[in-house]
Amino acid sequence: MTMEVAIEINGLTKRYEEKTAVDHLNLRVFRGEIFGLLGPNGAGKTTTTLMLTGLTEPTEGTALIGGLDCVRDTMKVKKTVGYMPDNVGFYGDMTGRENLRFTAALNGLERKTAEERIEDLLFRTGLAEAGDQRVGTYSRGMRQRLGVADVLMKDPQVIIMDEPTLGIDPEGMRELLILIRDLAKKENRTILISSHQLYQIQQICDRVGLFVAGSLVACGTVEELAEQTREDSRFLTELSVKTADERLTELIKTLDGVYSVGCEGSRYMVGSDRDISNELAALVLDNGYSLVSLRPCGNSLDEIYRRYFEKAGHEDGNSIGKVKRFISRNR
């Protein structure tokens, strides 16, 4: 079945004098998909979203949303695309409901339609009881959920979010991620999320694009990216047991495909030329050891991101240093 393209980007480039913020970006995002544009601050993510929403013009290249050109059809794009910036602005002395009424008026919604939509959105975003409170009293998470309600006032099929989870407490983040997932999977809306929050992106995105210095260096599902960067088809598995000893080390070495076993305390790192997770678990339990945890390594976004840099040969000072700091902050 052919998937409907919601966002199509070809050769999109933005230069500021000598600096290239976005360098010949090519990307397709499909209807009902949650796509994560991932990279450190300064990678060009926000510039990309600004070009998609018509807030800045590209130096060259094209971007289409729902078949509309983001430069030639800017006003139509703004009417049909919802944009949620990293710091959603509301009038703090107005209630959540009053802020949504203001957005409805700006979008020319008929009053009855607006009131019905406001009630529905306050309920869906978990703000029904806080709708008549001043927004100045809202937590960061509540403001972000109100931001989602604000975006949905014009019922867009494509929603672009810039750092939606930044600065939110764990419970607020969980609620927001569930809401974003429902928008895509239950309502078939397309969500493009620009973020440097690796773990959150990995939880909800169907595909991710790794953005580095204005260029998209990789694109795919987390599993696909992990496979692409796996060195020489090697696997690394982390194993923790209640009590480790030399006998268990020797037993692990007997498994077919194992080429290295490292042990530190009760934690093992097992290198193999294939996935031996099931066999490793069975060996531990069958020989009377208590299994605490077992997980394949190398499939998290921070590890994938690091390997892409190493694979690309970014070993010269500033670039690799920035990436290491970026990864360490998001572990």
Side-chain angles (χ1 to χ4, degrees):
M1 187 175 81
T2 303
M3 298 180 68
E4 181 183 346
V5 177
I7 302 173
E8 184 169 3
I9 300 171
N10 294 297
L12 198 65
T13 302
K14 182 65 177 180
R15 300 188 188 94
Y16 297 99
E17 297 181 352
E18 299 300 316
K19 177 178 173 56
T20 301
V22 178
D23 190 6
H24 294 90
L25 175 62
N26 296 298
L27 178 66
R28 283 186 172 186
V29 180
F30 301 101
R31 180 76 180 270
E33 181 178 32
I34 303 178
F35 187 92
L37 198 58
L38 175 66
N41 294 330
K45 306 185 305 298
T46 297
T47 302
T48 299
T49 60
L50 292 177
M51 287 190 284
L52 289 174
T53 52
L55 296 175
T56 188
E57 289 192 11
T59 305
E60 59 182 271
T62 60
L64 305 177
I65 298 182
L68 298 172
D69 190 292
C70 294
V71 174
R72 292 199 299 266
D73 304 311
T74 302
M75 295 310 296
K76 290 181 180 178
V77 169
K78 288 181 178 179
K79 287 181 180 179
T80 57
V81 175
Y83 175 56
M84 183 174 158
D86 59 346
N87 190 13
V88 186
F90 292 109
Y91 292 102
D93 58 346
M94 292 168 55
T95 67
R97 189 185 306 276
E98 288 168 341
N99 272 280
L100 294 180
R101 282 177 183 151
F102 182 68
T103 298
L106 290 177
N107 285 278
L109 290 181
E110 188 264 331
R111 183 165 183 172
K112 183 174 182 294
T113 300
E115 291 301 318
E116 290 175 350
R117 192 167 295 177
I118 289 169
E119 287 299 322
D120 177 57
L121 291 174
L122 287 174
F123 175 77
R124 287 169 57 197
T125 56
L127 294 172
E129 295 183 3
D132 294 314
Q133 296 176 18
R134 288 186 299 107
V135 173
T137 67
Y138 281 18
S139 67
R140 169 81 180 185
M142 292 170 70
R143 289 174 66 91
Q144 291 299 91
R145 281 184 280 139
L146 184 62
V148 175
D150 186 76
V151 164
L152 292 173
M153 283 303 296
K154 58 183 175 183
D155 195 25
Q157 284 303 303
V158 175
I159 301 173
I160 299 173
M161 298 179 166
D162 195 355
E163 301 285 5
T165 62
L166 193 62
I168 303 179
D169 63 83
E171 180 58 22
M173 186 178 298
R174 186 189 69 82
E175 293 172 351
L176 182 61
L177 292 178
I178 291 172
L179 177 58
I180 292 172
R181 192 76 187 171
D182 285 348
L183 291 175
K185 303 311 163 189
K186 293 184 179 180
E187 302 179 25
N188 204 30
R189 300 181 197 266
T190 304
I191 316 287
L192 176 66
I193 301 177
S194 165
S195 181
H196 71 275
Q197 304 280 317
L198 286 81
Y199 179 67
Q200 289 77 25
I201 288 295
Q202 184 165 353
Q203 289 184 76
I204 63 169
C205 287
D206 300 301
R207 290 189 300 145
V208 297
L210 304 185
F211 218 52
V212 180
S215 297
L216 192 67
V217 298
C219 181
T221 66
V222 173
E223 291 76 17
E224 288 170 345
L225 298 186
E227 190 61 34
Q228 289 170 21
T229 57
R230 195 184 307 283
E231 296 182 5
D232 302 324
S233 299
R234 293 182 178 182
F235 290 76
L236 188 63
T237 307
E238 180 181 301
L239 167 72
S240 291
V241 295
K242 191 170 183 181
T243 304
D245 56 28
E246 186 62 30
R247 173 174 171 265
L248 180 56
T249 301
E250 294 304 315
L251 286 170
I252 293 172
K253 289 179 179 178
T254 66
L255 288 176
D256 182 41
V258 171
Y259 61 81
S260 68
V261 180
C263 181
E264 183 178 346
S266 61
R267 186 172 69 98
Y268 288 89
M269 296 300 289
V270 182
S272 59
D273 58 15
R274 60 189 180 84
D275 185 358
I276 60 166
S277 298
N278 292 336
E279 295 165 64
L280 197 53
L283 179 142
V284 169
L285 297 173
D286 290 347
N287 285 278
Y289 293 91
S290 297
L291 180 63
V292 176
S293 66
L294 186 151
R295 73 176 185 94
C297 297
N299 288 352
S300 67
L301 274 176
D302 60 348
E303 293 167 318
I304 292 169
Y305 200 81
R306 173 182 55 79
R307 291 204 303 270
Y308 263 101
F309 262 80
E310 293 174 350
K311 188 177 180 181
H314 287 257
E315 300 291 346
D316 56 340
N318 291 336
S319 294
I320 195 67
K322 288 179 181 177
V323 176
K324 286 179 178 177
R325 289 193 295 273
F326 164 59
I327 291 171
S328 65
R329 284 199 304 268
N330 290 279
R331 285 184 184 272

